[in-house]
Amino acid sequence: LHISALAATLLPVVLGLLTLLPHSILGKPAEEAANAGSSALLQRVKRGWVWNQFFVLEEYTGLEPLYIGKLHSDMDKGDGSIKYILTGEGAGTTFTIDDSTGDIHAIQRLDREVKAQYALRAQARNRLTDRPLEPESEFIVKIQDINDNEPKFLDGPYQASVPEMSKIGTSVIQLTATDADDPTYGNSARVVYSILEGQPYFSVDAKTGVVRVSLADMDRETRENYSVVIQAKDMGGQLGGLAGTTTINITLSDINDNPPMFDQRLYQMSIPESAPVGSVVGRIWAKDRDIGVNAEMRYSIIDGDGRDTFDISTDPTNLFGIITVKKPLDFEKKPSYTLKVEGANINVDPSLRYRGPFKDVTIVHVSVEDVDEPPVFDLPVYYIELPEDAEIGTMLKTVSARDPDAANNTVRYSIERSSDPDKFFYIEITSGSLMTVRWLDREEIGWHNITVLAMEMNNPSQIASVSVAIKVLDVNDNPPSLAHYLEAYVCETAKAGQLIQTVTAVDPDEPLGGQHFYYSLAPEAANNPNFTLKDNQDNTAWILTRRGGWSQQDQTIFYLPIVITDGEQPVQTSTSTLTIRVCSCDQKGNVMSCNAEAYSLPASLSRGALIAILACIFVLLVMILLMLSLRTHRKKPYLCDEEENVHENIVRYDDEGGGEEDTEAFDIAAMWNPREAHNHHLGKMRQDMLPEIESLSRYVPQACVMGGGGGGDSNVHGYVLAKLLEADMDPCAPPYDSLQTYAYEGEGSIAESLSSLQSGTSNTDHEYDYLNDWGPRFKKLAEMYGVLETNSPPLW
C-alpha cells in the first residue's frame, strides 16, 4: 500500500521533469529521424525552438525560485549574442527568464485553485541589433495539483425534519461536500462521508451523503430534536486525507399518533339564572400530546338533559370547548343540568387509526344560581281600544305582573311619567287596574303609548316595564263646518240662477263609512230673495243667485247662513255664514273692485290731500309726546325750605366729637346768652325727629339752671344743663345739637373719653350702672351690661 501511494505521488513529478529536459538531451524525435533522408527533396525548414509544454507543482515552499524549464534556440552558439524575452500572463511578476541562458523560474507561490495555467510568449532577439531571430511562439505553463484543500460543506449547518415514527431507511437530507482540488488527477477530490455523532438514530451513505433514519419508532413526544455531525474526507477516506465536518439539526415533525384525553372526568360549573343567551358558562379541554393541526379538537354535546339548553363550540385556537347558554335559564323551573361532552380530533391519519380511538368523553354538571329577578308581566305588550267619549274613571284593563322568584314578593305598579306627560291615565298601585283621569279626544291624540312599571315591594331595585298601546276610537262628537271658502262674490252683472260658489265641508271625525254631509239654508234665510242653495249629494253644494240687477250702491255685502249636517249618530249640525260681496267685474267675470266707498268720496278731496292731512296729524302727535317727555324730565328740588332748616342743624357723627372746640354745629353767641336762648326755645319741642340717647345728666354738676353770676363759663354751663333737662324731659325731642352728647366728652371731663380705641389697655372691669340713669331708651342696654334700678328717684 505504501509503495503504491509513493509511486502515485512520484509519477507526475518524474513525467514533469522529463518534459522539461532540453531538446538536445532528449534527442530528435523519431519522425525527424525517419524523414532525414528526404530533407534534401522537401527542403523542410528546421524548427528553431527547442521547447515543450511545462508543468509545475503548486504550493512550492522553497527559499530559492522554482526552476520551471529552459528555452533554447539553434542559433544560440553560447556566445551571449542572443537575448531571450518572455511575455504573457505573469511574465515579470510570477515568472522570470534568464535572457542569456533561457532558464525560466517561478518567483511567487503558485496555487492551482487560484489559477490552473498560464499562457506565455517567448522570442529570441539579437542582443546587439535587437532584431528578432525567431518568430514569437506561445507556450503554456500548467500548475499541477496537490491535495491541499479539505472538503467543505458550503451550506452548513443544516436544518432538517422527518416525521416521527418513520421507518428505518427513511431519507432525511442529502449533503454534498465540495473539494477545491483537481477531481481529474489522483484522489485529492474523491470524498467519502461518515457520521461522527447521531448514532444510533441516523446514518449517512458514504458515497452519496444521504442521511437516513436508522432507528424505528422515534417518538416526538419523547424527544423532538437531534444534532448529527457528518464528516467528509478526501483521498477516498485513506490515511492522510483531509476532512471537513458539518452539523445537521434534525427535528421530528408531529403526526397525529396520540388520542385526546380530558384532564377531568367531571366538570362542575355554575351560572346565574339571569345570564342572557350566549353567556359563557365555562370551558373544557381535552389535552392532546400532539401539536398544531394534530391537536385541534371538535366538541359536541352527545347526551344529557341540557342538550337543548346549552351549546358548545370550539375557541379560535381549536383547542378548548366553550359552553354557552342556548336558552333562557330559570332556577325555579330547573336548578341544574347534566351534559355529556365528547372531544374528538379533527385531523386523523387513516394509517394510524389503530392507535385510536382519537376522542374522549367527559361529564359537565351545570348548576343554575338563583337571582332576585324583576317582576314578569303576563303579556309582553298590552293593546287597548277605548272610545273617546269614555267617562273619567273608566277602567281600561288590569295589567298583571308576578315575582318569578320563590319568595313571590308583592308587586307595586306605576306609570312612567315620561310616557304620559299630560297624565291622562292612572294605575291602581296594588291591583294594576288602568283607568282614565282626563277626557280623551281622538282628534288631538289618537294613540297613547304608555309604559307601566312593576316593582318588587321588598326590593325596589327590581323593576320591570311593559308597553301599553291605547287606541282612542272615534265618536261623532264634532260638527262639520265649511272648508276654506267663507267669502264669495257676485258680479253686478250676474243674472238669476247663476252659480257664484261651490262650498264643501270638513269634519275632524272619521266615521267608518266615510263622510256624508247635507247642506241647507238656515230657516231665517230659507226664503231670502237673493240667493239659494243646491245640495249636490256628493258632499258639495252650489250657491246660486235668485235675481239679477246687483249694485254696490244698493248693498255691498250679504250674509248667507248655511246649515251643515253629518250622517253619523249622534247627528252633529253646525251653521256657517258665507259672506258674499257685490263686486264690479269685467266682461269675462273677473273682479275689478269690491269697494263701495270709492263711489261716495267727495270729488274735491283727492288722495294726495288725505295723505297730507294724515301727515299733519302725525307731526302734531310727535310734538305733544316731546313736550310731555321734557316736562317729566325736569329736575325737581330734593328738599323744601323746612327740610333745609333741619339739615342745617344736623351734625354728621362720622368721627368722635370735638368737645367744646366744635362750634360749627351751633351758634356760640346763643350759648353766651342762655336766658335768651332759654326764653326763645323753652316750650318749643322738635317733633320731626326722635331722640336717640339721653344726656349724661348724672355726671353734670348740680347748679341752678336759671341762676346768674359765675361769669361766662357759668352761663355756658347753665345753658347746657337747661338743654339737657329739656331733652331728658321730652321723650319725643331729638338731640338738637352736639352739646347734648359731646359737651363734656374727653379725657379731662367727668365722663372721660367715649372712644373705644384704648379701652383694651385697661385691666379693670367696666361698670355700667350708670346706664340706669340714661332713661327708658337705654333700659335694654342697662339690663344687658348693668344692674337695673327699679325705684330710682327723679334726677331733677
Side-chain angles (χ1 to χ4, degrees):
L1 179 63
H2 293 290
I3 296 174
S4 300
L6 180 60
T9 305
L10 296 178
L11 181 60
V13 177
V14 173
L15 292 176
L17 292 175
L18 292 175
T19 56
L20 293 176
L21 291 176
H23 184 74
S24 59
I25 297 176
L26 294 176
K28 296 182 180 180
E31 61 178 359
E32 290 185 6
N35 296 328
S38 60
S39 59
L41 297 176
L42 298 176
Q43 295 295 320
R44 186 176 71 87
V45 179
K46 290 181 64 178
R47 183 176 179 180
W49 284 102
V50 180
W51 69 293
N52 204 338
Q53 188 174 15
F54 296 129
F55 292 89
V56 61
L57 291 175
E58 64 174 337
E59 304 294 344
Y60 172 71
T61 58
L63 298 178
E64 296 296 330
L66 177 63
Y67 179 78
I68 295 177
K70 182 180 182 67
L71 298 179
H72 183 74
S73 175
D74 293 340
M75 296 181 181
D76 188 358
K77 304 300 182 181
D79 55 0
S81 61
I82 295 178
K83 178 182 179 181
Y84 295 98
I85 298 174
L86 184 67
T87 60
E89 295 178 343
T93 57
T94 303
F95 304 99
T96 60
I97 188 171
D98 190 329
D99 61 354
S100 298
T101 64
D103 294 332
I104 301 174
H105 292 83
I107 60 176
Q108 287 190 359
R109 186 175 180 178
L110 301 177
D111 189 351
R112 190 200 67 83
E113 286 73 33
V114 175
K115 191 172 181 62
Q117 64 182 16
Y118 295 85
L120 297 172
R121 293 181 299 276
Q123 189 176 28
R125 290 177 176 269
N126 188 296
R127 187 179 296 274
L128 297 177
T129 62
D130 199 28
R131 187 167 55 88
L133 299 179
E134 296 285 350
E136 187 178 54
S137 298
E138 184 176 4
F139 65 95
I140 294 175
V141 177
K142 288 189 175 181
I143 311 301
Q144 198 166 10
D145 184 48
I146 63 173
N147 189 19
D148 60 342
N149 292 280
E150 73 277 4
K152 294 182 179 180
F153 295 94
L154 301 180
D155 299 326
Y158 297 87
Q159 302 291 332
S161 65
V162 63
E164 61 176 333
M165 298 296 173
S166 295
K167 297 179 181 181
I168 295 177
T170 302
S171 176
V172 179
I173 189 173
Q174 183 175 10
L175 304 181
T176 301
T178 302
D179 195 323
D181 293 327
D182 188 359
T184 63
Y185 180 76
N187 295 325
S188 299
R190 189 164 69 89
V191 178
V192 175
Y193 300 93
S194 62
I195 183 168
L196 302 181
E197 294 181 13
Q199 302 95 337
Y201 308 105
F202 300 94
S203 62
V204 63
D205 189 290
K207 294 182 178 181
T208 63
V210 176
V211 179
R212 302 179 185 275
V213 175
S214 60
L215 183 64
D217 297 332
M218 286 192 293
D219 191 0
R220 184 201 66 83
E221 289 73 31
T222 302
R223 181 178 177 182
E224 184 176 3
N225 297 310
Y226 296 85
S227 180
V228 179
V229 177
I230 302 297
Q231 174 183 269
K233 190 174 183 181
D234 60 10
M235 298 298 294
Q238 297 178 7
L239 184 64
L242 302 179
T245 60
T246 188
T247 300
I248 310 172
N249 296 315
I250 301 177
T251 302
L252 295 184
S253 60
D254 185 58
I255 63 173
N256 193 3
D257 59 338
N258 293 281
M261 182 176 296
F262 286 101
D263 56 354
Q264 293 180 227
R265 287 303 168 190
L266 177 63
Y267 288 87
Q268 295 285 350
M269 300 181 182
S270 62
I271 187 169
E273 62 175 335
S274 60
V277 173
S279 299
V280 176
V281 181
R283 71 176 188 173
I284 59 177
W285 182 23
K287 294 183 179 180
D288 194 330
R289 296 178 64 192
D290 298 320
I291 60 174
V293 295
N294 298 317
E296 292 182 354
M297 304 295 299
R298 180 187 295 111
Y299 297 91
S300 59
I301 301 175
I302 60 176
D303 199 2
D305 57 0
R307 295 180 62 181
D308 298 332
T309 307
F310 298 93
D311 195 7
I312 189 169
S313 60
T314 308
D315 74 329
T317 63
N318 289 329
L319 297 178
F320 298 94
I322 308 299
I323 300 176
T324 56
V325 178
K326 186 178 180 180
K327 291 183 178 180
L329 304 175
D330 192 342
F331 172 81
E332 288 71 28
K333 292 183 179 180
K334 190 171 180 58
S336 63
Y337 296 87
T338 301
L339 307 174
K340 187 176 182 181
V341 180
E342 179 186 80
N345 280 136
I346 298 176
N347 304 298
V348 179
D349 189 351
S351 63
L352 299 174
R353 287 189 182 275
Y354 67 94
R355 303 179 68 92
F358 291 90
K359 59 184 177 180
D360 196 15
V361 176
T362 188
I363 302 299
V364 180
H365 185 268
V366 181
S367 299
V368 180
E369 298 176 351
D370 188 21
V371 176
D372 190 5
E373 300 173 282
V376 178
F377 285 93
D378 294 342
L379 298 175
V381 65
Y382 289 87
Y383 174 76
I384 302 173
E385 291 184 350
L386 182 69
E388 62 178 324
D389 60 348
E391 297 290 336
I392 294 178
T394 301
M395 190 179 74
L396 310 181
K397 195 177 186 64
T398 298
V399 298
S400 177
R402 61 178 180 84
D403 183 8
D405 299 317
N408 195 18
N409 293 321
T410 305
V411 177
R412 295 291 182 262
Y413 303 92
S414 62
I415 297 176
E416 187 179 13
R417 283 307 165 198
S418 61
S419 63
D420 185 25
D422 296 326
K423 300 181 180 180
F424 283 97
F425 304 97
Y426 167 77
I427 191 169
E428 210 283 322
I429 188 172
T430 57
S431 65
S433 298
L434 189 64
M435 58 188 70
T436 61
V437 293
R438 289 182 57 184
W439 291 103
L440 303 178
D441 191 349
R442 188 202 63 83
E443 287 71 35
E444 292 183 1
I445 304 177
W447 282 87
H448 294 269
N449 295 303
I450 65 174
T451 301
V452 175
L453 305 178
M455 178 183 65
E456 288 187 14
M457 188 69 175
N458 296 336
N459 189 0
S461 63
Q462 296 297 333
I463 301 176
S465 62
V466 68
S467 296
V468 180
I470 302 172
K471 181 180 180 181
V472 182
L473 301 179
D474 185 42
V475 174
N476 191 27
D477 58 346
N478 293 282
S481 61
L482 287 181
H484 308 299
Y485 305 105
L486 296 179
E487 284 196 6
Y489 69 92
V490 58
C491 294
E492 291 181 318
T493 59
K495 296 181 172 56
Q498 183 173 337
L499 174 66
I500 63 172
Q501 183 67 52
T502 300
V503 295
T504 59
V506 293
D507 191 339
D509 295 323
E510 295 180 357
L512 297 177
Q515 301 282 6
H516 297 283
F517 301 121
Y518 304 96
Y519 302 89
S520 63
L521 294 178
E524 64 271 16
N527 298 320
N528 76 89
N530 301 311
F531 304 98
T532 185
L533 182 144
K534 179 183 178 182
D535 192 341
N536 297 323
Q537 303 298 319
D538 59 355
N539 292 338
T540 64
W542 288 350
I543 306 298
L544 306 172
T545 59
R546 283 187 171 179
R547 65 178 178 87
W550 306 92
S551 174
Q552 293 185 10
Q553 300 296 328
D554 296 339
Q555 187 173 347
T556 59
I557 297 177
F558 294 88
Y559 299 99
L560 186 65
I562 301 174
V563 177
I564 309 170
T565 305
D566 58 21
E568 299 296 325
Q569 296 296 328
V571 176
Q572 298 290 336
T573 302
S574 68
T575 301
S576 299
T577 301
L578 180 66
T579 302
I580 303 175
R581 296 181 179 272
V582 180
C583 301
S584 299
C585 304
D586 57 12
Q587 294 180 355
K588 296 182 180 180
N590 298 322
V591 177
M592 297 177 60
S593 174
C594 296
N595 191 359
E597 286 75 12
Y599 297 97
S600 60
L601 288 175
S604 59
L605 191 58
S606 63
R607 182 173 299 177
L610 287 175
I611 295 175
I613 293 173
L614 292 176
C616 293
I617 295 173
F618 177 75
V619 172
L620 183 61
L621 290 175
V622 171
M623 294 178 62
I624 294 173
L625 291 174
L626 288 175
M627 293 175 64
L628 292 175
S629 176
L630 292 174
R631 175 171 294 182
T632 55
H633 286 79
R634 182 179 298 172
K635 289 186 178 181
K636 296 181 180 180
Y638 293 100
L639 299 171
C640 58
D641 294 339
E642 291 79 8
E643 291 174 343
E644 292 178 357
N645 292 335
V646 173
H647 279 274
E648 287 180 356
N649 296 283
I650 291 178
V651 179
R652 298 184 180 274
Y653 298 132
D654 296 338
D655 299 318
E656 186 178 332
E660 294 180 357
E661 298 178 358
D662 187 2
T663 60
E664 296 181 0
F666 54 86
D667 187 2
I668 193 65
M671 297 183 67
W672 290 107
N673 298 293
R675 294 180 179 176
E676 294 182 6
H678 177 73
N679 294 334
H680 179 71
H681 295 286
L682 189 60
K684 184 177 180 180
M685 303 296 179
R686 292 284 301 270
Q687 301 298 330
D688 56 344
M689 297 179 62
L690 297 178
E692 294 181 1
I693 60 172
E694 298 186 17
S695 68
L696 302 171
S697 56
R698 64 176 291 183
Y699 296 101
V700 180
Q702 302 295 325
C704 180
V705 176
M706 302 302 297
D713 293 337
S714 61
N715 292 338
V716 174
H717 181 68
Y719 174 76
V720 170
L721 291 179
K723 301 301 290 183
L724 289 175
L725 178 62
E726 179 182 350
D728 290 340
M729 298 305 295
D730 185 6
C732 298
Y736 187 77
D737 50 38
S738 62
L739 293 177
Q740 298 183 46
T741 305
Y742 303 110
Y744 289 92
E745 186 273 329
E747 294 182 353
S749 66
I750 299 176
E752 299 182 348
S753 175
L754 296 181
S755 174
S756 61
L757 296 178
Q758 298 179 353
S759 61
T761 59
S762 175
N763 294 326
T764 60
D765 295 336
H766 293 282
E767 295 182 359
Y768 301 96
D769 296 339
Y770 57 87
L771 295 174
N772 296 316
D773 300 331
W774 284 18
R777 295 190 177 278
F778 291 86
K779 180 179 180 181
K780 185 64 177 179
L781 193 61
E783 292 177 356
M784 297 173 61
Y785 292 94
V787 179
L788 184 62
E789 297 181 5
T790 55
N791 297 321
S792 57
L795 297 176
W796 303 95

